[in-house]
Amino acid sequence: MKERLESIKKRYEEITTLLMDPETMSDFNKIKALSKEQSDLKEIVDKYKEYETAEEHLKEAKEVINDPELREMAELEIEENTAKLEQLNHELEILLIPKDENDGKNIIMEIRGAAGGDEANIFAGDLLRMYTYYAEKQGWKIEINHQVEGTSGGFSQVECTIKGENVYSKLKYESGAHRVQRVPVTETQGRVHTSTATVLVMPEVEDVDIEIKESDLKIDVYHSSGAGGQSVNTSNSAVRITHLPTNTVVTCQNERSQLKNKEKAMKILRVKLYDLMEQEKEQKLGNTRKSKIGTGDRSEKIRTYNYPQNRVTDHRIGFSVMSLDRVMDGELDPIIEALITEDLKRKLAGE
C-alpha cells in the first residue's frame, strides 16, 4: 500500500508542476483533464501526508523513550500516534478502493408493479413517492419521463430521471424486487397480502458511450396521456422508440414538444442499451459475484416492507429498521448508509 501511496503522491506533484507549465496553460482541455485528475487524488494525498506526519512523530517519540525526563511525554505520544496511524491506515484503505466510474452520474429509474395485481401497482406508486421524498431531502431533481397508471391507483410502470450530486452512488443499491406485506386497500376481509414491485436503476451515459444506428430504430408518435392538461392531447407529441436488434422499447410523453420527447427518449434508450451491454459483459465474465450489492440479479428479492410490524428489512445484508412509516416518507439514509458500509467492508476483504 505504501508503494501505491508514494506513486499517487508523486503523480499529484507532477500534475501540480504541469499545471504551471505555459504550454499546458494554453490548452484548455488539458488543464481540465489534469485539474480533474488532481482533484480525484487530493483527498488521498492529504490523508497520506497526515499519515507521514503521525509516523514521524511516533519515530521521534520512540527515540527519546529512554530519557527519564521525556519518558512520560514520549509514552503519551507513542500511544496517541499508534492509534492515529491505525485509524489513518483504515481510512487510506477505503480511499484506495477503486471508485465506481458511474457514482457521480444522474440516473434513470424504472419502477414496475410485479406480482400482486392492483396492489403491486399501488405499491409501485408508493415506492415512487418514497424516492421522490428522498430526492427532495438530498436536493436532487426528479422528472417523470413516462407512466402507465394502474386501474386502482399507482403505476403498472413509471420511469423517471433523477438529477443531482452523486445520485447513482446512493441509489445504485435499489435495483431488484421490493416486497410489501400489508392489507391492501382492495382487500375486503382484512387479510395481509404479499405483493412485489421491481426497481431498476441505470446511470446516465453520454453520447460517446454507445453508438445507435438510425436504421435500427422504429419511431412511433401518438397522443400523450396522463398529467399535462388537455393541451397535451391535441397533438401527436408522445414518442415511442423501438431498438429493433434488442427489442428495447422507450417511451417519452412528458414534454409538449415532439422533438423534445424524441431527444429525451433517445437519451433514455442509450442508457438502457448501455445497461444491457454491461449485464451481458457480467454474464460473459461469469455469474455476478454473490458478494456484490446492487448490481446482481435484477429479479432478486432485496427488501421487504412489512406494514403490520412497521419494519423494513434489506435481505442482502440482514439489516432491519422498525420505522417503515419514516422510510416511506423518504428517510432512506439509515438503509443506504448500511449498504454502503457493507459494500466497502466486502471490497476491503477482497470479495
Side-chain angles (χ1 to χ4, degrees):
M1 189 170 85
K2 192 100 183 222
E3 285 178 10
R4 193 172 166 198
L5 288 165
E6 283 292 339
S7 174
I8 289 169
K9 184 182 172 184
K10 184 181 176 183
R11 176 58 183 163
Y12 186 86
E13 290 165 353
E14 282 175 2
I15 294 170
T16 303
T17 304
L18 283 167
L19 285 169
M20 292 187 289
D21 189 304
E23 188 179 329
T24 304
M25 292 172 75
S26 64
D27 187 335
F28 174 76
N29 289 330
K30 195 170 184 180
I31 289 175
K32 189 178 176 182
L34 287 170
S35 296
K36 186 183 183 307
E37 186 182 353
Q38 188 181 56
S39 176
D40 291 343
L41 298 177
K42 189 178 187 303
E43 190 178 1
I44 297 172
V45 172
D46 288 346
K47 193 68 67 179
Y48 182 45
K49 285 177 180 176
E50 275 187 63
Y51 184 93
E52 287 181 310
T53 301
E55 209 172 34
E56 186 61 33
H57 289 167
L58 181 63
K59 182 184 174 184
E60 290 169 358
K62 285 180 176 178
E63 286 173 355
V64 298
I65 191 72
N66 294 321
D67 187 324
E69 294 182 8
L70 299 174
R71 185 179 183 85
E72 190 176 338
M73 186 178 72
E75 285 176 346
L76 188 62
E77 280 281 308
I78 288 170
E79 185 181 345
E80 285 180 357
N81 285 290
T82 300
K84 191 172 184 180
L85 283 169
E86 188 177 334
Q87 177 61 29
L88 288 168
N89 187 70
H90 177 67
E91 289 173 9
L92 283 165
E93 281 182 333
I94 291 171
L95 287 172
L96 287 173
I97 292 172
K99 288 183 172 58
D100 188 330
E101 62 180 14
N102 293 319
D103 275 352
K105 293 183 177 180
N106 300 325
I107 67 160
I108 303 294
M109 176 182 278
E110 184 181 278
I111 307 171
R112 291 175 180 261
D118 287 340
E119 167 64 358
N121 294 341
I122 291 168
F123 182 53
D126 292 340
L127 289 177
L128 176 65
R129 174 179 171 272
M130 177 185 79
Y131 291 123
T132 300
Y133 284 161
Y134 181 68
E136 287 172 357
K137 290 174 190 289
Q138 300 298 313
W140 300 337
K141 184 181 179 184
I142 186 164
E143 299 172 357
I144 302 297
N145 302 320
H146 174 60
Q147 62 190 45
V148 180
E149 295 178 1
T151 53
S152 298
F155 304 95
S156 63
Q157 179 187 351
V158 61
E159 201 171 83
C160 62
T161 300
I162 304 179
K163 299 179 179 181
E165 189 175 347
N166 298 318
V167 179
Y168 185 75
S169 70
K170 292 188 175 182
L171 292 181
K172 63 184 175 183
Y173 305 102
E174 297 303 299
S175 288
H178 295 240
R179 182 174 71 170
V180 63
Q181 294 174 324
R182 65 184 178 188
V183 179
V185 292
T186 53
E187 166 62 43
T188 56
Q189 297 179 27
R191 293 174 299 184
V192 172
H193 288 224
T194 298
S195 304
T196 57
T198 59
V199 176
L200 178 58
V201 174
M202 300 165 284
E204 277 193 340
V205 293
E206 302 301 323
D207 293 4
V208 292
D209 290 328
I210 190 164
E211 182 186 354
I212 301 173
K213 295 177 182 176
E214 196 72 33
S215 58
D216 288 340
L217 303 177
K218 178 177 181 284
I219 301 174
D220 299 306
V221 293
Y222 59 97
H223 291 318
S224 296
S225 60
Q230 194 175 5
S231 60
V232 174
N233 298 305
T234 59
S235 64
N236 290 333
S237 59
V239 175
R240 182 189 299 111
I241 301 177
T242 305
H243 184 252
L244 300 172
T246 59
N247 199 33
T248 302
V249 181
V250 170
T251 303
C252 192
Q253 62 181 44
N254 67 317
E255 300 287 350
R256 295 191 178 189
S257 157
Q258 185 187 122
L259 181 61
K260 286 183 179 178
N261 276 327
K262 184 182 176 184
E263 286 175 359
K264 190 170 280 189
M266 284 300 297
K267 192 171 185 179
I268 296 167
L269 180 62
R270 287 189 186 91
V271 170
K272 290 195 172 186
L273 292 179
Y274 180 79
D275 182 68
L276 195 62
M277 284 168 53
E278 290 298 298
Q279 290 299 304
E280 287 174 354
K281 196 187 295 180
E282 283 281 0
Q283 288 171 5
K284 284 179 183 176
L285 291 171
N287 290 331
T288 305
R289 293 171 297 178
K290 289 182 181 178
S291 62
K292 269 193 171 182
I293 298 173
T295 53
D297 184 359
R298 300 296 174 83
S299 62
E300 175 194 3
K301 181 187 72 181
I302 64 166
R303 197 174 296 151
T304 293
Y305 303 74
N306 186 301
Y307 276 71
Q309 297 176 16
N310 198 37
R311 171 178 54 82
V312 181
T313 299
D314 195 288
H315 303 289
R316 295 164 295 180
I317 58 174
F319 179 82
S320 292
V321 290
M322 306 303 291
S323 55
L324 181 144
D325 51 340
R326 294 201 294 274
V327 169
M328 297 311 290
D329 283 338
E331 291 187 21
L332 275 168
D333 278 329
I335 299 171
I336 288 171
E337 285 169 11
L339 286 162
I340 291 171
T341 301
E342 179 63 21
D343 199 15
L344 284 172
K345 181 181 168 185
R346 294 183 188 187
K347 284 173 180 173
L348 282 170
E351 295 181 11

